[in-house]
Amino acid sequence: QVQLVESGGGSVQAGGSLRLSCVASGYIYSNYCMGWFRQAPGKEREGVASIIIGRGRTYYDDSVKGRFTISQDSAKNTLYLQMNNLKPEDTAIYYCAAGLWVGCSGSLQSSRYNTWGQGTQVTVSS
């Protein structure tokens, strides 16, 4: 069974950068997908970025395009989210997720993902 552990959250000022990491225990096959989601207080969880394993195809929510970059290191079994030019509205708990089936298709819908990390807090101050 795959387990996911996130790290790299913290507090930064607007305009700053953070890099989140997610280490996966267990093998994630090609054509499965991994993604980053976030949930702010009082709001629903939303998809931020996703990647199809083995194909490198990436998908982003419009709110983060041009600022966030999702990537993976297969050798380290690690997923990353580089976040630049952070804004106060990016403040949320960020979750790493894996869609361990080909139907995941890089979707940003949380229902397509069946394995979740515990989350890491990102706080951006103005």
Side-chain angles (χ1 to χ4, degrees), residues 7-70:
S7 62
S11 297
V12 295
Q13 290 189 329
S17 299
L18 285 173
R19 189 177 79 158
L20 306 183
S21 300
C22 171
V23 178
S25 64
Y27 188 77
I28 298 180
Y29 292 92
S30 292
N31 295 320
Y32 289 176
C33 60
M34 294 190 74
W36 289 97
F37 292 76
R38 66 186 181 187
Q39 188 166 19
K43 294 187 177 181
E44 293 187 354
R45 189 172 299 186
E46 61 177 359
V48 174
S50 65
I51 185 169
I52 299 179
I53 302 302
R55 292 192 176 185
R57 296 182 68 175
T58 58
Y59 304 85
Y60 296 94
D61 184 76
D62 287 345
S63 64
V64 305
K65 281 181 181 177
R67 300 189 298 122
F68 290 11
T69 303
I70 188 171

Side-chain angles (χ1 to χ4, degrees), residues 57-121:
R57 296 182 68 175
T58 58
Y59 304 85
Y60 296 94
D61 184 76
D62 287 345
S63 64
V64 305
K65 281 181 181 177
R67 300 189 298 122
F68 290 11
T69 303
I70 188 171
S71 62
Q72 59 156 141
D73 185 331
S74 298
K76 296 182 179 180
N77 235 21
T78 301
L79 181 74
Y80 300 101
L81 183 69
Q82 178 66 43
M83 305 185 293
N84 297 327
N85 191 21
L86 283 160
K87 303 176 180 180
E89 51 263 44
D90 294 319
T91 295
I93 298 174
Y94 283 70
Y95 297 90
C96 173
L100 303 178
W101 62 307
V102 294
C104 180
S105 302
S107 172
L108 291 177
Q109 296 180 1
S110 59
S111 60
R112 297 290 187 101
Y113 293 76
N114 46 24
T115 301
W116 294 83
Q118 82 287 353
T120 185
Q121 177 71 47

